C-alpha cells in the first residue's frame, strides 16, 4: 500500500505539472530565460521558508520550468529547429509507462556497495567492502526516491559548512565524533566546523602545520588523495589553496561519510584500500594523506604503501598523522603499549625505505615522506634490499578490478639522476592548459600535441554554447559535475574558472587510456565501466555530461540501465547534457520521458545540420512518502 500511495502521489504531481504547462512550456534551462520570468514552484517556496533567516535561499537563482514561459515565437533563438515540444500529447499518454518509484528502503541505495551482498565476501583485506555489483537479473527498474523533505543543497561556498538534515538524516557521526568536531546538528541543518580526529583545532590549522613542512601554496602540489577521508574536511579546506583532493572512504559503520562530503560540494567517492588497486592511474597525485585512517600500512609486506607509491607522481609526498607517529607522547590515550606502537612505526619506516622513499620530517603529529623523482638510485639499492622488487611487467595504469601487487611500480626511464621520470609538471594553473608530458612523450597512442590543442579550443566553444542553452551553468547553480566520458579533460579545463569541480570518468576497457593526461593537467577522475553502478550515493551530482557514452556502450549493456543509474546519482532538478548520434539521442529521449525528466533537443554549436545532436534534460522534483 505504501508503494502504491507513493506512485499515486508522484503521478498526481506529474499530471498537475503537465496540465499547468498545457503542452507549451519551454525548458528554461535550454532557453536561458531571465529570472524575472520565472515563477517558483511549491518546492521553491518551501525551500525559501526553511532557509537560514540571515541568508538568501540556496535556490534563489535556480531556473525552473515555468507556467508563464514566453511564447515559442519569442524564444526560438536557441531552440532546436526540430520543433520538438518539451511536453506534448504523446508524452502525457505515455504516463502509464513511467518507471515506478522504488520502495523508500532504497532511498540510500548504493548498488555495488550493498551491505547484504558485501557480507557474503571474505573480510580479509576488506574484500567485503570492495565493489560487488548486482547481476543483470538483480538490477532495479524503478526510480530511487528522495527523502520526503528533500531540498536542493546550499550553494557553494556556503555548502562547505552546511547541509540540510532532511537530505541525509543520519546523526550517527555527530554523536560518535562529538568530541572531534567533525559534524554538528544545528536545527534543520548539519554544520561542519572543519574538525577531525587529528585536527581538533580545525582543518585550517592542521593544513597550516603541513604547509610549514612542504609547499602547499605555490602551485607545485595540485592533486591530492585522502585515504579514509571521514567527512573530507581536509579536502574541503585545501580547496582554498587550489589543491583538489580525491577523498574516499568505505561505506561502513560511520554512516554517510562520503555522502556528507559530496553534499557539501567536496570531491569524494566510496572506496577502500583492500585487495585491488585504487581506480586511478600511476603517477596521478602530488600528495597522499592519512590522518588516523586505520589502514594497516605495514601489513602484507607493505602492500598498501606500494599502492600509494604507484599513484604518487615522481617527487610526490606522503603525509601521515596519528598512531603510531606520536606514540612517545600519546601512547596511553591510544590504549596500546609503547612496544606495540614503536614496532608499528619501525615497520612503516622500513617499508618506506624499501620503497626508496626519503623521510622529509617528523614534527609533532605529522610525518612526511617523499617519493624519488626517478629510480636510478633505487635500482642500485634493490641489489642489496630486493624486497619489494621493481615490477617486471604489466600496465602501471591498469586499475579496474586489478589485484594489488607487492612490487614497486617502475617509473619511466631517465638518462641522469636529476631528471624527473615522465617529465616535469608545470605549476598550477599553467599545467591545466599546456601539453602534458604523457602526450609530449608519445605515451598516449593517437593523441598528438596538435590534437590536444584542438581539443582545448573545441571545449571552449562547447562550454560557451552550454552556458547559453543551460542558464543555470553560468549562474553558479551547479557544483558537483560528472563527465561520463572525459577524454582529455577539456570540459574541466573550460570550466576551471567557474565555482565547480568535475569528476572525470575514463571508461574502462576503451582506448586510448587518457586518465593519466587528465591528472597531469591538475584535474581528478576515475576509471569506471558504465555497465555497472558508480561508487557514490544517490543524489550526489548536480550536472552530468554524457558525450558519446551510449554509442560506446550500445553493444555492451542496456541503455535503460545506464539511464536509471544516472537518475540515481543525479539530484532532483539536476541537469544532463547528452551528445550523441541522432538515432541514439532519439532513443535516449524516449526513455528519459519515462523517468520523469523534461528534455529538449537543441541545436549543436556547429549548427543544426551536424549528425551529432544535443539533448538537454532536467530531472523533475519529486520525493517518496514518509514511512
Amino acid at each position: 500500500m505504501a508503494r502504491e500511495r507513493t506512485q499515486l502521489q508522484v503521478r498526481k504531481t506529474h499530471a498537475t505539472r503537465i496540465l499547468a504547462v498545457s503542452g507549451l512550456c519551454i525548458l528554461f534551462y535550454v532557453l536561458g530565460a531571465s529570472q524575472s520570468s520565472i515563477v517558483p514552484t511549491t518546492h521553491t517556496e518551501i525551500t525559501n521558508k526553511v532557509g537560514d533567516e540571515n541568508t538568501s535561499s540556496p535556490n534563489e537563482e535556480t531556473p525552473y520550468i515555468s507556467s508563464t514561459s514566453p511564447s515559442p515565437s519569442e524564444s526560438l533563438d536557441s531552440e532546436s529547429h526540430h520543433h520538438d515540444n518539451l511536453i506534448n500529447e504523446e508524452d502525457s499518454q505515455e504516463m502509464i509507462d513511467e518507471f515506478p518509484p522504488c520502495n523508500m528502503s532504497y532511498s540510500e541505495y548504493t548498488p555495488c556497495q550493498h551491505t547484504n551482498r558485501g557480507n557474503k565476501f571474505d573480510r580479509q583485506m576488506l574484500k567485503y567492502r570492495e565493489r560487488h555489483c548486482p547481476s543483470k537479473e538483480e538490477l532495479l527498474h524503478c526510480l530511487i526516491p528522495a527523502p520526503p523533505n528533500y531540498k536542493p543543497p546550499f550553494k557553494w561556498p556556503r555548502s562547505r559548512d552546511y547541509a540540510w538534515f532532511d537530505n541525509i538524516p543520519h546523526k550517527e557521526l555527530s554523536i560518535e565524533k562529538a568530541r572531534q568536531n567533525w559534524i554538528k546538528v544545528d536545527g534543520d541543518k548539519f554544520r561542519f566546523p572543519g574538525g577531525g580526529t587529528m585536527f581538533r583545532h580545525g582543518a585550517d590549522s592542521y593544513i597550516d602545520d603541513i604547509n610549514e613542512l612542504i609547499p602547499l601554496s605555490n602551485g607545485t602540489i595540485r592533486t591530492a588523495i585522502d585515504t579514509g577521508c571521514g567527512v573530507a574536511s581536509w579536502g574541503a579546506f585545501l580547496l582554498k589553496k587550489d589543491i583538489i583532493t580525491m577523498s574516499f572512504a568505505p561505506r561502513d559503520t560511520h554512516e554517510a561519510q562520503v555522502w556528507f562530503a559530496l553534499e557539501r560540494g567536496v570531491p569524494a567517492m566510496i572506496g577502500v584500500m583492500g585487495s585491488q588497486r585504487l581506480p586511478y592511474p600511476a603517477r596521478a597525485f602530488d600528495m597522499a594523506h592519512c590522518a588516523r585512517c586505520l589502514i594497516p600500512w605495514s601489513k602484507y609486506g607493505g602492500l598498501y604503501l606500494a599502492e600509494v607509491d604507484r599513484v604518487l607522481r615522481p617527487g610526490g609526498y606522503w603525509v601521515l598523522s596519528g598512531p603510531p607517529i606520536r606514540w612517545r607522547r600519546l601512547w596511553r590515550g591510544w590504549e596500546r603499549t609503547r612496544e606495540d606502537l614503536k614496532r608499528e612505526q619501525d615497520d612503516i619506516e622500513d617499508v618506506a625505505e624499501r620503497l626508496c622513499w626519503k623521510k622529509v620530517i617528523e614534527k609533532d603529529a605529522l610525518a612526511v615522506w617523499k617519493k624519488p623523482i626517478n629510480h636510478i638510485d633505487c635500482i642500485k639499492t634493490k641489489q642489496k634490499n630486493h624486497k619489494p622488487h621493481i615490477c617486471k611487467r604489466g600496465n602501471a595504469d591498469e586499475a579496474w578490478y586489478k589485484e594489488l601487487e607487492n612490487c614497486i611500480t617502475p617509473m619511466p626511464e631517465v638518462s641522469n639522476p636529476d631528471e624527473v621520470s615522465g617529465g616535469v609538471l608545470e605549476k598550477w594553473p599553467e599545467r591545466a592548459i599546456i601539453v602534458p608530458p604523457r602526450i609530449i612523450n608519445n605515451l598516449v597512442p593517437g593523441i598528438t600535441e596538435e590534437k590536444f590543442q584542438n581539443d582545448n579550443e573545441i571545449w571552449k566553444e562547447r562550454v560557451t554554447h552550454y552556458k547559453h542553452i543551460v542558464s543555470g551553468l553560468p549562474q553558479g547553480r551547479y557544483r558537483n559535475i560528472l563527465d561520463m566520458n572525459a577524454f582529455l579533460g577539456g570540459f574541466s579545463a573550460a570550466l576551471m574558472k567557474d565555482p565547480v569541480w568535475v569528476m572525470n570518468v575514463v571508461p574502462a576497457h576503451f582506448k586510448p587510456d587518457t586518465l593519466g593526461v587528465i591528472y597531469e593537467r591538475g584535474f581528478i577522475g576515475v576509471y569506471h565501466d558504465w555497465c555497472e553502478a558508480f561508487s557514490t550515493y544517490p543524489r550526489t551530482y548536480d550536472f552530468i555530461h554524457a558525450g558519446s557514452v551510449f554509442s560506446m556502450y550500445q553493444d555492451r549493456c542496456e541503455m535503460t540501465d545506464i539511464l536509471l543509474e544516472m537518475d540515481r546519482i543525479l539530484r532532483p532538478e539536476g541537469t544532463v547534457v547528452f551528445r550523441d548520434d541522432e538515432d541514439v539521442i532519439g532513443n535516449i529521449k524516449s526513455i528519459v520521458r519515462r523517468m520523469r525528466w523534461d528534455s529538449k533537443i537543441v541545436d549543436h554549436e556547429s549548427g543544426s545540420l551536424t549528425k551529432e545532436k544535443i539533448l538537454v534534460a532536467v530531472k523533475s522534483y519529486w520525493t517518496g512518502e514518509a514511512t
Side-chain angles (χ1 to χ4, degrees), residues 3 6-8 10-11 14 91 94-103 139-145 558-565 567-568 587-597 620 622:
R3 180 169 177 171
T6 303
Q7 294 182 33
L8 181 61
V10 171
R11 289 179 178 174
H14 198 59
D91 293 336
E94 290 191 7
M95 284 180 59
I96 58 172
D97 296 326
E98 288 182 346
F99 292 102
C102 303
N103 188 282
L139 295 177
L140 297 179
H141 284 85
C142 53
L143 305 178
I144 302 297
E558 296 295 329
M559 178 183 293
T560 297
D561 294 328
I562 299 177
L563 287 167
L564 286 171
E565 171 62 5
D567 181 82
R568 183 185 74 87
N587 292 333
I588 293 171
K589 184 168 174 55
S590 67
I591 297 172
V592 301
R593 177 186 299 142
R594 300 170 57 201
M595 294 162 51
R596 305 187 189 95
W597 289 15
S620 62
W622 64 276

Side-chain angles (χ1 to χ4, degrees), residues 247-442:
S247 300
F248 72 85
R251 177 164 188 161
D252 60 1
T253 54
H254 296 163
E255 287 287 351
Q257 292 181 100
V258 166
W259 206 354
F260 280 125
L262 287 159
E263 188 75 5
R264 300 169 67 187
V266 178
M269 63 184 296
I270 301 172
V272 63
M273 293 202 77
S275 66
Q276 299 172 347
R277 283 182 174 179
L278 298 173
Y280 318 117
R283 311 193 315 278
F285 299 99
D286 303 317
M287 174 171 57
H289 173 257
C290 165
R292 202 172 186 179
C293 60
L294 305 181
I295 295 173
W297 295 114
S298 58
K299 288 189 67 175
Y300 312 113
L303 187 65
Y304 295 138
L305 275 181
E307 175 62 359
V308 172
D309 179 80
R310 183 184 74 85
V311 299
L312 268 183
R313 71 165 174 84
Y317 298 95
W318 183 54
V319 180
L320 175 65
S321 66
I325 298 303
R326 302 182 69 190
W327 67 269
R328 290 180 178 83
R329 295 175 53 190
L330 299 177
W331 65 276
R332 289 187 178 88
W334 292 334
E335 299 179 353
R336 292 171 60 184
T337 65
R338 293 166 61 95
E339 292 75 18
D340 180 36
L341 289 163
K342 181 181 184 303
R343 187 182 307 111
E344 182 182 354
Q345 178 151 359
D346 288 345
D347 288 345
I348 289 174
E349 302 272 10
D350 178 61
V351 173
E353 183 178 356
R354 288 189 283 114
L355 289 171
C356 303
W357 293 2
K358 299 295 184 183
K359 192 169 187 179
V360 176
I361 193 169
E362 180 176 330
K363 182 179 180 182
D364 297 327
L366 295 163
V368 181
W369 286 263
K370 186 175 184 180
K371 179 179 176 177
I373 61 172
N374 59 58
H375 274 159
I376 287 182
D377 290 336
C378 189
I379 291 172
K380 296 176 181 177
T381 62
K382 288 292 106 182
Q383 297 173 358
K384 297 180 180 179
N385 190 353
H386 59 86
K387 291 185 179 180
H389 62 273
I390 295 177
C391 304
K392 301 298 183 183
R393 57 188 176 185
N395 180 1
D397 292 340
E398 186 181 358
W400 185 245
Y401 293 122
K402 173 71 173 177
E403 294 294 314
L404 289 174
E405 296 181 71
N406 203 347
C407 56
I408 301 173
T409 302
M411 291 189 277
E413 293 184 3
V414 295
S415 56
N416 67 77
D418 297 323
E419 186 178 350
V420 177
S421 287
V424 176
L425 293 180
E426 294 294 329
K427 293 182 177 180
W428 179 265
E430 288 77 17
R431 73 165 74 169
I433 303 300
I434 66 168
V435 181
R438 292 188 191 222
I439 294 178
I440 294 175
N441 295 327
N442 298 314

